[in-house]
PDB file of all heavy atoms in Angstrom:
ATOM      1  N   TYR A   1      81.805 108.761  95.438  1.00 90.00           N
ATOM      2  CA  TYR A   1      82.316 109.543  94.342  1.00 90.00           C
ATOM      3  C   TYR A   1      83.705 109.073  94.033  1.00 90.00           C
ATOM      4  O   TYR A   1      84.305 108.220  94.727  1.00 90.00           O
ATOM      5  CB  TYR A   1      82.283 111.014  94.682  1.00 90.00           C
ATOM      6  CG  TYR A   1      83.281 111.507  95.707  1.00 90.00           C
ATOM      7  CD1 TYR A   1      84.405 112.173  95.340  1.00 90.00           C
ATOM      8  CD2 TYR A   1      83.088 111.221  97.062  1.00 90.00           C
ATOM      9  CE1 TYR A   1      85.342 112.562  96.327  1.00 90.00           C
ATOM     10  CE2 TYR A   1      83.966 111.616  98.021  1.00 90.00           C
ATOM     11  CZ  TYR A   1      85.094 112.289  97.646  1.00 90.00           C
ATOM     12  OH  TYR A   1      85.986 112.711  98.618  1.00 90.00           O
ATOM     13  N   ILE A   2      84.282 109.618  92.972  1.00 88.00           N
ATOM     14  CA  ILE A   2      85.634 109.216  92.546  1.00 88.00           C
ATOM     15  C   ILE A   2      86.664 109.976  93.368  1.00 88.00           C
ATOM     16  O   ILE A   2      87.064 111.103  92.988  1.00 88.00           O
ATOM     17  CB  ILE A   2      85.840 109.432  91.006  1.00 88.00           C
ATOM     18  CG1 ILE A   2      84.740 108.688  90.244  1.00 88.00           C
ATOM     19  CG2 ILE A   2      87.229 108.918  90.614  1.00 88.00           C
ATOM     20  CD1 ILE A   2      84.757 108.980  88.744  1.00 88.00           C
ATOM     21  N   PHE A   3      87.025 109.437  94.500  1.00 86.00           N
ATOM     22  CA  PHE A   3      87.850 110.103  95.474  1.00 86.00           C
ATOM     23  C   PHE A   3      89.159 110.635  94.890  1.00 86.00           C
ATOM     24  O   PHE A   3      89.541 111.777  95.187  1.00 86.00           O
ATOM     25  CB  PHE A   3      88.149 109.105  96.580  1.00 86.00           C
ATOM     26  CG  PHE A   3      89.060 109.613  97.697  1.00 86.00           C
ATOM     27  CD1 PHE A   3      88.550 110.366  98.750  1.00 86.00           C
ATOM     28  CD2 PHE A   3      90.397 109.307  97.679  1.00 86.00           C
ATOM     29  CE1 PHE A   3      89.355 110.819  99.758  1.00 86.00           C
ATOM     30  CE2 PHE A   3      91.246 109.749  98.700  1.00 86.00           C
ATOM     31  CZ  PHE A   3      90.694 110.515  99.770  1.00 86.00           C
ATOM     32  N   GLY A   4      89.769 109.878  94.076  1.00 85.00           N
ATOM     33  CA  GLY A   4      91.154 110.226  93.624  1.00 85.00           C
ATOM     34  C   GLY A   4      91.243 111.414  92.734  1.00 85.00           C
ATOM     35  O   GLY A   4      92.418 111.874  92.518  1.00 85.00           O
ATOM     36  N   ILE A   5      90.209 112.029  92.284  1.00 87.00           N
ATOM     37  CA  ILE A   5      90.277 113.143  91.353  1.00 87.00           C
ATOM     38  C   ILE A   5      89.921 114.511  92.048  1.00 87.00           C
ATOM     39  O   ILE A   5      89.920 115.505  91.346  1.00 87.00           O
ATOM     40  CB  ILE A   5      89.470 112.941  90.076  1.00 87.00           C
ATOM     41  CG1 ILE A   5      87.978 112.935  90.365  1.00 87.00           C
ATOM     42  CG2 ILE A   5      89.908 111.685  89.354  1.00 87.00           C
ATOM     43  CD1 ILE A   5      87.092 112.887  89.127  1.00 87.00           C
ATOM     44  N   PHE A   6      89.627 114.411  93.335  1.00 93.00           N
ATOM     45  CA  PHE A   6      89.190 115.608  94.048  1.00 93.00           C
ATOM     46  C   PHE A   6      90.208 116.055  95.083  1.00 93.00           C
ATOM     47  O   PHE A   6      90.832 115.230  95.749  1.00 93.00           O
ATOM     48  CB  PHE A   6      87.850 115.387  94.748  1.00 93.00           C
ATOM     49  CG  PHE A   6      86.645 115.434  93.846  1.00 93.00           C
ATOM     50  CD1 PHE A   6      86.281 114.296  93.147  1.00 93.00           C
ATOM     51  CD2 PHE A   6      85.943 116.582  93.669  1.00 93.00           C
ATOM     52  CE1 PHE A   6      85.190 114.319  92.281  1.00 93.00           C
ATOM     53  CE2 PHE A   6      84.837 116.606  92.866  1.00 93.00           C
ATOM     54  CZ  PHE A   6      84.479 115.481  92.174  1.00 93.00           C
ATOM     55  N   ASN A   7      90.359 117.394  95.241  1.00 96.00           N
ATOM     56  CA  ASN A   7      91.041 117.914  96.463  1.00 96.00           C
ATOM     57  C   ASN A   7      90.296 117.493  97.680  1.00 96.00           C
ATOM     58  O   ASN A   7      89.052 117.269  97.626  1.00 96.00           O
ATOM     59  CB  ASN A   7      91.054 119.429  96.460  1.00 96.00           C
ATOM     60  CG  ASN A   7      91.942 120.002  95.341  1.00 96.00           C
ATOM     61  OD1 ASN A   7      92.815 119.339  94.805  1.00 96.00           O
ATOM     62  ND2 ASN A   7      91.722 121.251  95.025  1.00 96.00           N
ATOM     63  N   MET A   8      91.013 117.285  98.758  1.00 97.00           N
ATOM     64  CA  MET A   8      90.368 116.972 100.070  1.00 97.00           C
ATOM     65  C   MET A   8      90.918 117.914 101.124  1.00 97.00           C
ATOM     66  O   MET A   8      92.051 118.350 101.095  1.00 97.00           O
ATOM     67  CB  MET A   8      90.670 115.541 100.474  1.00 97.00           C
ATOM     68  CG  MET A   8      89.894 114.474  99.674  1.00 97.00           C
ATOM     69  SD  MET A   8      88.124 114.632  99.897  1.00 97.00           S
ATOM     70  CE  MET A   8      87.904 114.322 101.648  1.00 97.00           C
ATOM     71  N   GLY A   9      90.033 118.235 102.080  1.00 98.00           N
ATOM     72  CA  GLY A   9      90.433 119.193 103.133  1.00 98.00           C
ATOM     73  C   GLY A   9      90.012 118.685 104.491  1.00 98.00           C
ATOM     74  O   GLY A   9      89.022 117.993 104.601  1.00 98.00           O
ATOM     75  N   TRP A  10      90.773 119.086 105.485  1.00 98.00           N
ATOM     76  CA  TRP A  10      90.312 118.943 106.871  1.00 98.00           C
ATOM     77  C   TRP A  10      89.952 120.326 107.371  1.00 98.00           C
ATOM     78  O   TRP A  10      90.669 121.303 107.205  1.00 98.00           O
ATOM     79  CB  TRP A  10      91.443 118.379 107.732  1.00 98.00           C
ATOM     80  CG  TRP A  10      91.563 116.884 107.674  1.00 98.00           C
ATOM     81  CD1 TRP A  10      92.435 116.184 106.946  1.00 98.00           C
ATOM     82  CD2 TRP A  10      90.751 115.922 108.373  1.00 98.00           C
ATOM     83  NE1 TRP A  10      92.220 114.846 107.125  1.00 98.00           N
ATOM     84  CE2 TRP A  10      91.205 114.649 107.992  1.00 98.00           C
ATOM     85  CE3 TRP A  10      89.710 116.012 109.285  1.00 98.00           C
ATOM     86  CZ2 TRP A  10      90.640 113.447 108.509  1.00 98.00           C
ATOM     87  CZ3 TRP A  10      89.162 114.859 109.776  1.00 98.00           C
ATOM     88  CH2 TRP A  10      89.624 113.612 109.387  1.00 98.00           C
ATOM     89  N   TYR A  11      88.792 120.401 107.997  1.00 98.00           N
ATOM     90  CA  TYR A  11      88.256 121.617 108.559  1.00 98.00           C
ATOM     91  C   TYR A  11      88.053 121.403 110.050  1.00 98.00           C
ATOM     92  O   TYR A  11      87.990 120.272 110.529  1.00 98.00           O
ATOM     93  CB  TYR A  11      86.895 121.925 107.942  1.00 98.00           C
ATOM     94  CG  TYR A  11      86.871 122.135 106.464  1.00 98.00           C
ATOM     95  CD1 TYR A  11      86.991 121.075 105.549  1.00 98.00           C
ATOM     96  CD2 TYR A  11      86.665 123.411 105.929  1.00 98.00           C
ATOM     97  CE1 TYR A  11      86.958 121.275 104.199  1.00 98.00           C
ATOM     98  CE2 TYR A  11      86.616 123.601 104.555  1.00 98.00           C
ATOM     99  CZ  TYR A  11      86.748 122.515 103.706  1.00 98.00           C
ATOM    100  OH  TYR A  11      86.734 122.754 102.339  1.00 98.00           O
ATOM    101  N   ARG A  12      87.900 122.542 110.780  1.00 98.00           N
ATOM    102  CA  ARG A  12      87.568 122.470 112.144  1.00 98.00           C
ATOM    103  C   ARG A  12      86.624 123.566 112.558  1.00 98.00           C
ATOM    104  O   ARG A  12      86.637 124.646 111.948  1.00 98.00           O
ATOM    105  CB  ARG A  12      88.789 122.439 113.068  1.00 98.00           C
ATOM    106  CG  ARG A  12      89.565 123.746 113.117  1.00 98.00           C
ATOM    107  CD  ARG A  12      90.820 123.572 113.953  1.00 98.00           C
ATOM    108  NE  ARG A  12      91.611 124.784 114.037  1.00 98.00           N
ATOM    109  CZ  ARG A  12      92.806 124.835 114.544  1.00 98.00           C
ATOM    110  NH1 ARG A  12      93.412 123.726 115.037  1.00 98.00           N
ATOM    111  NH2 ARG A  12      93.482 125.999 114.618  1.00 98.00           N
ATOM    112  N   GLN A  13      85.840 123.310 113.579  1.00 98.00           N
ATOM    113  CA  GLN A  13      84.898 124.334 114.070  1.00 98.00           C
ATOM    114  C   GLN A  13      84.843 124.240 115.614  1.00 98.00           C
ATOM    115  O   GLN A  13      84.479 123.211 116.196  1.00 98.00           O
ATOM    116  CB  GLN A  13      83.473 124.145 113.488  1.00 98.00           C
ATOM    117  CG  GLN A  13      82.529 125.221 113.850  1.00 98.00           C
ATOM    118  CD  GLN A  13      81.263 125.152 113.044  1.00 98.00           C
ATOM    119  OE1 GLN A  13      80.867 124.085 112.526  1.00 98.00           O
ATOM    120  NE2 GLN A  13      80.506 126.260 112.914  1.00 98.00           N
ATOM    121  N   ALA A  14      85.251 125.320 116.192  1.00 96.00           N
ATOM    122  CA  ALA A  14      85.196 125.467 117.667  1.00 96.00           C
ATOM    123  C   ALA A  14      83.880 126.129 118.061  1.00 96.00           C
ATOM    124  O   ALA A  14      83.295 126.865 117.225  1.00 96.00           O
ATOM    125  CB  ALA A  14      86.353 126.235 118.200  1.00 96.00           C
ATOM    126  N   PRO A  15      83.384 125.956 119.268  1.00 91.00           N
ATOM    127  CA  PRO A  15      82.140 126.577 119.651  1.00 91.00           C
ATOM    128  C   PRO A  15      82.114 128.055 119.447  1.00 91.00           C
ATOM    129  O   PRO A  15      83.062 128.795 119.795  1.00 91.00           O
ATOM    130  CB  PRO A  15      82.009 126.223 121.127  1.00 91.00           C
ATOM    131  CG  PRO A  15      82.814 124.986 121.269  1.00 91.00           C
ATOM    132  CD  PRO A  15      83.907 125.063 120.328  1.00 91.00           C
ATOM    133  N   GLY A  16      81.092 128.605 118.816  1.00 94.00           N
ATOM    134  CA  GLY A  16      80.982 130.050 118.621  1.00 94.00           C
ATOM    135  C   GLY A  16      81.784 130.620 117.504  1.00 94.00           C
ATOM    136  O   GLY A  16      81.922 131.823 117.314  1.00 94.00           O
ATOM    137  N   THR A  17      82.443 129.703 116.708  1.00 96.00           N
ATOM    138  CA  THR A  17      83.245 130.187 115.579  1.00 96.00           C
ATOM    139  C   THR A  17      82.793 129.540 114.279  1.00 96.00           C
ATOM    140  O   THR A  17      81.997 128.628 114.275  1.00 96.00           O
ATOM    141  CB  THR A  17      84.729 129.807 115.787  1.00 96.00           C
ATOM    142  OG1 THR A  17      84.898 128.407 115.681  1.00 96.00           O
ATOM    143  CG2 THR A  17      85.210 130.255 117.144  1.00 96.00           C
ATOM    144  N   GLU A  18      83.263 130.101 113.147  1.00 96.00           N
ATOM    145  CA  GLU A  18      82.925 129.539 111.881  1.00 96.00           C
ATOM    146  C   GLU A  18      83.844 128.365 111.553  1.00 96.00           C
ATOM    147  O   GLU A  18      84.969 128.316 112.053  1.00 96.00           O
ATOM    148  CB  GLU A  18      83.031 130.616 110.766  1.00 96.00           C
ATOM    149  CG  GLU A  18      81.977 131.698 110.889  1.00 96.00           C
ATOM    150  CD  GLU A  18      81.955 132.629 109.669  1.00 96.00           C
ATOM    151  OE1 GLU A  18      82.854 132.440 108.806  1.00 96.00           O
ATOM    152  OE2 GLU A  18      81.104 133.508 109.616  1.00 96.00           O
ATOM    153  N   ARG A  19      83.417 127.470 110.747  1.00 97.00           N
ATOM    154  CA  ARG A  19      84.254 126.351 110.243  1.00 97.00           C
ATOM    155  C   ARG A  19      85.384 126.908 109.448  1.00 97.00           C
ATOM    156  O   ARG A  19      85.208 127.779 108.582  1.00 97.00           O
ATOM    157  CB  ARG A  19      83.405 125.409 109.460  1.00 97.00           C
ATOM    158  CG  ARG A  19      84.036 124.071 109.108  1.00 97.00           C
ATOM    159  CD  ARG A  19      83.080 123.206 108.417  1.00 97.00           C
ATOM    160  NE  ARG A  19      81.990 122.758 109.312  1.00 97.00           N
ATOM    161  CZ  ARG A  19      80.846 122.251 108.892  1.00 97.00           C
ATOM    162  NH1 ARG A  19      80.574 122.155 107.595  1.00 97.00           N
ATOM    163  NH2 ARG A  19      79.887 121.876 109.726  1.00 97.00           N
ATOM    164  N   GLU A  20      86.608 126.416 109.695  1.00 97.00           N
ATOM    165  CA  GLU A  20      87.745 126.888 108.988  1.00 97.00           C
ATOM    166  C   GLU A  20      88.533 125.704 108.367  1.00 97.00           C
ATOM    167  O   GLU A  20      88.606 124.623 108.920  1.00 97.00           O
ATOM    168  CB  GLU A  20      88.698 127.686 109.913  1.00 97.00           C
ATOM    169  CG  GLU A  20      89.288 126.874 111.043  1.00 97.00           C
ATOM    170  CD  GLU A  20      90.393 127.622 111.807  1.00 97.00           C
ATOM    171  OE1 GLU A  20      91.009 128.565 111.202  1.00 97.00           O
ATOM    172  OE2 GLU A  20      90.683 127.214 112.945  1.00 97.00           O
ATOM    173  N   LEU A  21      89.110 125.984 107.192  1.00 98.00           N
ATOM    174  CA  LEU A  21      89.928 124.988 106.524  1.00 98.00           C
ATOM    175  C   LEU A  21      91.333 125.029 107.128  1.00 98.00           C
ATOM    176  O   LEU A  21      91.974 126.115 107.134  1.00 98.00           O
ATOM    177  CB  LEU A  21      90.012 125.283 104.999  1.00 98.00           C
ATOM    178  CG  LEU A  21      90.872 124.395 104.164  1.00 98.00           C
ATOM    179  CD1 LEU A  21      90.352 122.935 104.174  1.00 98.00           C
ATOM    180  CD2 LEU A  21      90.944 124.900 102.774  1.00 98.00           C
ATOM    181  N   VAL A  22      91.854 123.923 107.624  1.00 98.00           N
ATOM    182  CA  VAL A  22      93.158 123.894 108.252  1.00 98.00           C
ATOM    183  C   VAL A  22      94.200 123.163 107.363  1.00 98.00           C
ATOM    184  O   VAL A  22      95.395 123.422 107.539  1.00 98.00           O
ATOM    185  CB  VAL A  22      93.171 123.285 109.653  1.00 98.00           C
ATOM    186  CG1 VAL A  22      92.284 124.110 110.581  1.00 98.00           C
ATOM    187  CG2 VAL A  22      92.673 121.840 109.623  1.00 98.00           C
ATOM    188  N   ALA A  23      93.737 122.298 106.486  1.00 98.00           N
ATOM    189  CA  ALA A  23      94.722 121.543 105.679  1.00 98.00           C
ATOM    190  C   ALA A  23      94.054 121.085 104.395  1.00 98.00           C
ATOM    191  O   ALA A  23      92.902 120.680 104.436  1.00 98.00           O
ATOM    192  CB  ALA A  23      95.309 120.371 106.423  1.00 98.00           C
ATOM    193  N   LEU A  24      94.817 121.173 103.281  1.00 98.00           N
ATOM    194  CA  LEU A  24      94.288 120.799 101.986  1.00 98.00           C
ATOM    195  C   LEU A  24      95.322 119.865 101.284  1.00 98.00           C
ATOM    196  O   LEU A  24      96.532 120.083 101.402  1.00 98.00           O
ATOM    197  CB  LEU A  24      94.094 122.039 101.143  1.00 98.00           C
ATOM    198  CG  LEU A  24      93.616 121.857  99.699  1.00 98.00           C
ATOM    199  CD1 LEU A  24      92.168 121.467  99.711  1.00 98.00           C
ATOM    200  CD2 LEU A  24      93.867 123.096  98.886  1.00 98.00           C
ATOM    201  N   ILE A  25      94.784 118.860 100.534  1.00 98.00           N
ATOM    202  CA  ILE A  25      95.657 118.014  99.766  1.00 98.00           C
ATOM    203  C   ILE A  25      95.049 117.823  98.410  1.00 98.00           C
ATOM    204  O   ILE A  25      93.859 117.570  98.265  1.00 98.00           O
ATOM    205  CB  ILE A  25      95.913 116.688 100.524  1.00 98.00           C
ATOM    206  CG1 ILE A  25      96.964 115.846  99.797  1.00 98.00           C
ATOM    207  CG2 ILE A  25      94.625 115.888 100.735  1.00 98.00           C
ATOM    208  CD1 ILE A  25      97.496 114.686 100.645  1.00 98.00           C
ATOM    209  N   THR A  26      95.876 117.907  97.371  1.00 97.00           N
ATOM    210  CA  THR A  26      95.441 117.731  96.005  1.00 97.00           C
ATOM    211  C   THR A  26      95.437 116.250  95.609  1.00 97.00           C
ATOM    212  O   THR A  26      95.958 115.412  96.357  1.00 97.00           O
ATOM    213  CB  THR A  26      96.304 118.509  95.007  1.00 97.00           C
ATOM    214  OG1 THR A  26      97.641 117.922  95.035  1.00 97.00           O
ATOM    215  CG2 THR A  26      96.430 119.969  95.406  1.00 97.00           C
ATOM    216  N   PRO A  27      94.879 115.889  94.478  1.00 94.00           N
ATOM    217  CA  PRO A  27      94.878 114.465  94.081  1.00 94.00           C
ATOM    218  C   PRO A  27      96.281 113.876  94.004  1.00 94.00           C
ATOM    219  O   PRO A  27      96.451 112.677  94.239  1.00 94.00           O
ATOM    220  CB  PRO A  27      94.167 114.508  92.719  1.00 94.00           C
ATOM    221  CG  PRO A  27      93.237 115.678  92.834  1.00 94.00           C
ATOM    222  CD  PRO A  27      93.968 116.670  93.609  1.00 94.00           C
ATOM    223  N   ASN A  28      97.267 114.681  93.637  1.00 93.00           N
ATOM    224  CA  ASN A  28      98.620 114.163  93.585  1.00 93.00           C
ATOM    225  C   ASN A  28      99.460 114.548  94.835  1.00 93.00           C
ATOM    226  O   ASN A  28     100.702 114.559  94.786  1.00 93.00           O
ATOM    227  CB  ASN A  28      99.354 114.671  92.320  1.00 93.00           C
ATOM    228  CG  ASN A  28      99.472 116.165  92.271  1.00 93.00           C
ATOM    229  OD1 ASN A  28      98.924 116.849  93.093  1.00 93.00           O
ATOM    230  ND2 ASN A  28     100.178 116.662  91.294  1.00 93.00           N
ATOM    231  N   SER A  29      98.703 114.799  95.919  1.00 94.00           N
ATOM    232  CA  SER A  29      99.317 114.947  97.270  1.00 94.00           C
ATOM    233  C   SER A  29     100.158 116.201  97.521  1.00 94.00           C
ATOM    234  O   SER A  29     100.976 116.234  98.426  1.00 94.00           O
ATOM    235  CB  SER A  29     100.103 113.712  97.662  1.00 94.00           C
ATOM    236  OG  SER A  29      99.218 112.617  97.796  1.00 94.00           O
TER     237      SER A  29
END
């Protein structure tokens, strides 16, 4: 896909927990 026009996020999931968003970056950083 066209990477440069989308927000991107890092998520994490520990055992027994829901996936959570820990960091977000917009197309212009």
Side-chain angles (χ1 to χ4, degrees):
Y1 70 105
I2 304 173
F3 178 83
I5 65 172
F6 282 85
N7 292 340
M8 286 297 298
W10 279 99
Y11 299 74
R12 67 185 181 188
Q13 187 170 21
T17 69
E18 293 189 355
R19 191 175 291 162
E20 63 170 339
L21 177 65
V22 297
L24 176 75
I25 188 166
T26 67
N28 60 354
S29 294

